[in-house]
Amino acid sequence: MASTNHPPATARFPFGVVTCSPHTIAELLAELRMLLADKRLSPRTILCLNAHIYNGACHNMRLRDCLNAARLTLADGMAIVWAARALGQNLAERCN
């Protein structure tokens, strides 16, 4: 059975036009192990959010929808981590 010491995939916080996952690298690895162990879990999409992707999502609804529908949308760059912290989210690290 998978460990439950990490945020569930549904744990997301609003980050402008998208939602972002608060997972650390260790929590991401636990999520990946869980997905590998149970092929029935859905959604299975894990995406990364950096400043370039965020700017694209501001102008592209399809990209925004993909980011928001993913199982995890992880910070892929310190700009996202710093912006999340400025918005009051305790985002520990980038996951790239």
Side-chain angles (χ1 to χ4, degrees), residues 2-96:
S3 169
T4 58
N5 294 334
H6 62 283
T10 55
R12 296 170 76 98
F13 61 89
F15 187 81
V17 299
V18 298
T19 57
C20 195
S21 308
H23 291 64
T24 63
I25 292 172
E27 293 162 346
L28 167 61
L29 292 174
E31 187 79 24
L32 289 171
R33 282 192 284 285
M34 186 175 66
L35 287 169
L36 289 171
D38 188 347
K39 305 288 190 227
R40 298 168 296 160
L41 292 174
S42 180
R44 300 183 71 80
T45 309
I46 297 173
L47 300 176
C48 296
L49 181 67
N50 60 30
H52 178 73
I53 298 297
Y54 180 82
N55 287 329
C58 288
H59 302 286
N60 184 318
M61 186 184 305
R62 189 165 181 201
L63 174 57
R64 184 170 52 244
D65 290 345
C66 287
L67 290 165
N68 288 328
R71 180 177 197 86
L72 301 175
T73 300
L74 302 159
D76 176 33
M78 286 309 295
I80 299 299
V81 173
W82 293 328
R85 289 176 184 167
L87 294 171
Q89 296 297 324
N90 186 17
L91 195 54
E93 61 188 337
R94 61 187 182 162
C95 290
N96 64 346

